[in-house]
Amino acid sequence: DADVTQTPRNRITKTGKRIMLECSQTKGHDRMYWYRQDPGLGLRLIYYSFDVKDINKGEISDGYSVSRQAQAKFSLSLESAIPNQTALYFCATSEPTSGRARETQYFGPGTRLLVL
Amino acid sequence: GENVEQHPSTLSVQEGDSAVIKCTYSDSASNYFPWYKQELGKGPQLIIDIRSNVGEKKDQRIAVTLNKTAKHFSLHITETQPEDSAVYFCGRGSNFGNEKLTFGTGTRLTIIP
C-alpha cells in the first residue's frame, strides 16, 4: 500500500551495528505496528503504538526499541544487531473503530534486513 | 492464550480446483477473524474478515467459515487462478480493551497451471 512507506527496502549490516528502520504513513491513522516475518513463524509483533504518546511491547521486543516521532512516523531501532535479527520487517497502521472488533491493518512493503 | 495455529504450511492445487486453509484458536474471547494475502515482494493485504456473530461470509470466489464451538475458521478459494498464488495469513482479535491481532504462521498457496 503506497500510503505506508518503509525505508530502506533492503539493508545489509554487521553484527553489533546500530540501525534504524523507518516507517511513514499518509493514511492519518493513529495506530502503528512493527512486525517481523520469518519463514515458518509468520508475523510476530515487535512493538505497537496506539497514539503518539503510547508505546507498547509486543511478543518479541527484546533487542529492539521504537520511537513515535509524530502521528505519521514510527521508527524501529536495533541497538546492536545480531544475525538472528535477519528477517523481513513490516510496518502497519490501523484506525480504531469504536464498538466493533479489531480494525483492518494496512501494511507497508517491508524491509529486508540481513545481519552478517 | 492468544495463539492461532494455521494449516497447511504449503498447499498446491490445480488451476480451477478449490483451496482450503484452516486455522484454530484457543482464546474464547476472540471475536474477529481476518485473512490477509501476501503477494511476492509486498506486504500483507486484508482480503476478507468475519466477526463472531456470523458463521459464513462470501466475497466472489473467496469465503470464510467460522465454527465458534470448535474454535476454528477456514478460508475457501474456489475456481483458483494463477493470481491466487501467494502466502495467506489468518488472524484473530478481540474488541476487549486494546488487544492486538495475532497472526497464524502462514500458508504458501501455489496454483499449478
Side-chain angles (χ1 to χ4, degrees), chain B residues 19-37:
Chain B
V20 180
I21 304 169
K22 182 176 178 179
C23 288
T24 59
Y25 63 97
S26 55
D27 184 359
S28 298
S30 303
N31 57 7
Y32 174 63
F33 307 94
W35 284 91
Y36 283 76
K37 176 183 181 182

Side-chain angles (χ1 to χ4, degrees), chain A residues 20-60:
Chain A
M20 178 183 290
L21 309 183
E22 300 189 0
C23 176
S24 295
Q25 52 113 347
T26 58
K27 301 186 77 69
H29 289 170
D30 285 328
R31 299 184 172 187
M32 298 188 74
Y33 310 79
W34 275 105
Y35 293 91
R36 66 176 278 177
Q37 182 180 3
D38 300 275
L41 296 177
L43 293 162
R44 293 184 293 165
L45 185 62
I46 306 172
Y47 271 96
Y48 61 104
S49 169
F50 281 173
D51 63 48
V52 176
K53 298 180 181 178
D54 177 76
I55 299 290
N56 304 281
K57 293 182 177 181
E59 60 180 298
I60 54 163

